[in-house]
Amino acid sequence: MSVVIVVGAQWGDEGKGKVVDLFTERAEMVIRYGGGANAGHTLVIEGQKLVTHLVPSGVCHPGKSCVLGDGMVIDPQTLLEEIAQCQARGLLSRGELLVGLGAHVILPYHKLLDALREDAGAKIGKAIGTTRRGIGPAYEAKAARKGVRVRDLMKPARLRELVLANLDELSPLIAHLGGQPPAPAEIERWIDDALAAGRALLPYTGDAGRHVAHAIADGQHVLFEGAQGCLLDLDHGTYPYVTSSSTIAAGACQSAGIGPTAIDAVVGITKAYATRVGAGPFPTELHGDAGDRLRKAGGEFGATTGRPRRCGWLDLPALRMGARLSGMTSLALTKLDVLGGMSEVSVCVAYTVDGKELDEPPIDPDDIARAQPVYTSFPGWEKLPADARDVSDLPGPARAYVETIERLAGVPFCLVSVGPDRTETIRLHDPFA
Ligand code: IMP
């Protein structure tokens, strides 16, 4: 038996969907453990695209057990739409999905508040650039011990009491931020919709923590699918420009309710370059034509919001920090093919701040924002052979690039992705082995 956690090693959007999909061939259970519909996984199966926000990327393998852990914040309408979308493709029709009854629920007022805060922040240049999916407000309610959980969707009186109590507190804030507090009829509709969603979700709900623990005790191969990336972690990321959950490997244990001693391996996913969505420091960001070229080549537009992603060179100090925070035992390098056709490819090997060279980002985001990247450059290479199945199949400069990253990151690669399809992959090591 092996228990493997997959985490994003950067600021999210590292191509986790494809890697989780590949690893799911070996896993019997896949668990999403944090965040909510702020994530977006684009899966390409036999040339067909499937985008999921809540359902784990492992869904594409019929018969594998998919779990949404208690640490998540779940938008019930989005989840129901995704279940329907999967079932229309013949997936999730055999009772493969289990939604934790302890997970928190995102309701319309969480999304309203998220959007109003962002709009107010934008006016003074302080927006976080959230996905506006209500993630922060739902986690705030959870921390304040006033949140609505999935189990509350099945208890009409309790749900009503919670929603009314929350809105009693939040309506003045909504008005203060320039919004229209919901009228009683609208609140009633929200409650009715939530109860209807609860009835529809009931067959999928259960005790996620025990379900996962039993699978591990039974000796199953279990895969935890992280969302976002290590540098967006609430505690250790580039605060305040972070999400509101734990995105590092430890978050998997916390969310699923299992101990760290159950974990056998942690795989970090890093793109061959870097992207970031929303505000916050990004030392290797490329502006103008160079950034546009990378964005176009990599199709770097948010799967959830459609926003253009900020693009830049691979940042090894940030990658080392992600590797340290999550205790990564191996790395998967994705989207190497996107760099094909560039005249030159660079990688940031260190930062300088006030004349001092640093191998990891400084602790203060203001210092990260003014850090100067120290680059090593490689001659570019032509399009990668799509049938590359070994590092030795790569053109010389691409091979040198891969080997340099592996050496300077200090974590071995288990996989290099050379194209979007499942088959376009160099497999070096099986994390479940
Ligand atoms: P929130 O999670 O919607 O509150 O957004 C907080 C920050 O995390 C923003 O900068 C978002 O762009 C970023 N973020 C949240 N989810 C993702 C993701 O799945 N990929 C990349 N960035 C994300």
Side-chain angles (χ1 to χ4, degrees), residues 283-284 313-317 320 346-353 355-359 371-377 408:
T284 63
W313 296 123
L314 181 62
D315 181 334
L316 286 178
R320 286 185 199 111
S346 298
V347 55
C348 166
V349 294
Y351 298 153
T352 53
V353 179
K356 259 177 65 184
E357 193 161 302
L358 305 175
D359 64 357
Q372 293 299 313
V374 178
Y375 287 115
T376 293
S377 294
L408 295 182

Side-chain angles (χ1 to χ4, degrees), residues 128-198:
I128 302 288
T130 74
T131 58
R132 297 177 178 237
R133 295 297 189 269
I135 306 297
Y139 276 120
E140 283 170 44
K142 168 179 170 168
R145 289 148 296 172
K146 293 176 177 174
V148 174
R149 292 191 291 175
V150 170
R151 59 163 50 92
D152 301 318
L153 297 179
M154 288 104 201
K155 297 176 187 161
R158 172 142 182 81
L159 179 72
R160 165 178 296 276
E161 187 191 339
L162 278 169
V163 169
L164 294 181
N166 275 288
L167 282 170
D168 205 37
E169 281 192 7
L170 294 175
S171 288
L173 178 58
I174 290 169
H176 172 75
L177 289 167
Q180 180 70 45
E186 193 169 22
I187 299 174
E188 288 308 316
R189 190 164 48 77
W190 289 349
I191 294 172
D192 288 347
D193 288 350
L195 289 171

Side-chain angles (χ1 to χ4, degrees), residues 14-215:
E14 297 92 350
K16 292 183 287 293
K18 169 174 169 173
V19 177
V20 169
D21 174 57
L22 287 172
F23 289 172
T24 305
E25 287 167 4
R26 298 274 283 127
E28 282 142 297
M29 176 180 279
V30 188
I31 304 130
R32 251 299 295 273
Y33 62 84
N38 47 351
H41 298 304
T42 307
L43 306 164
V44 181
I45 289 117
E46 284 153 12
Q48 283 221 319
K49 253 191 190 181
L50 174 67
V51 179
T52 63
H53 300 281
L54 290 164
V55 172
S57 309
V59 67
C60 296
H61 296 260
K64 311 277 173 161
S65 179
C66 292
V67 180
L68 302 188
D70 286 348
M72 288 187 71
V73 283
I74 295 174
D75 181 332
Q77 311 299 344
T78 305
L79 179 56
L80 286 168
E81 280 162 28
E82 260 177 46
I83 292 172
Q85 194 192 338
C86 290
Q87 289 181 341
R89 289 175 177 232
L91 305 168
L92 284 190
S93 50
R94 291 194 246 149
E96 294 101 328
L97 181 66
L98 189 104
V99 181
L101 281 163
H104 280 249
V105 172
I106 294 192
L107 291 164
Y109 53 87
H110 295 127
K111 290 190 268 193
L112 175 64
L113 208 49
D114 196 357
L116 287 170
R117 284 220 183 101
E118 283 294 288
D119 290 344
K123 285 188 195 139
I124 52 167
K126 295 239 186 267
I128 302 288
T130 74
T131 58
R132 297 177 178 237
R133 295 297 189 269
I135 306 297
Y139 276 120
E140 283 170 44
K142 168 179 170 168
R145 289 148 296 172
K146 293 176 177 174
V148 174
R149 292 191 291 175
V150 170
R151 59 163 50 92
D152 301 318
L153 297 179
M154 288 104 201
K155 297 176 187 161
R158 172 142 182 81
L159 179 72
R160 165 178 296 276
E161 187 191 339
L162 278 169
V163 169
L164 294 181
N166 275 288
L167 282 170
D168 205 37
E169 281 192 7
L170 294 175
S171 288
L173 178 58
I174 290 169
H176 172 75
L177 289 167
Q180 180 70 45
E186 193 169 22
I187 299 174
E188 288 308 316
R189 190 164 48 77
W190 289 349
I191 294 172
D192 288 347
D193 288 350
L195 289 171
R199 286 190 293 276
L201 285 175
L202 184 62
Y204 301 99
T205 57
D207 184 338
R210 248 178 233 214
H211 190 55
V212 175
H214 284 160

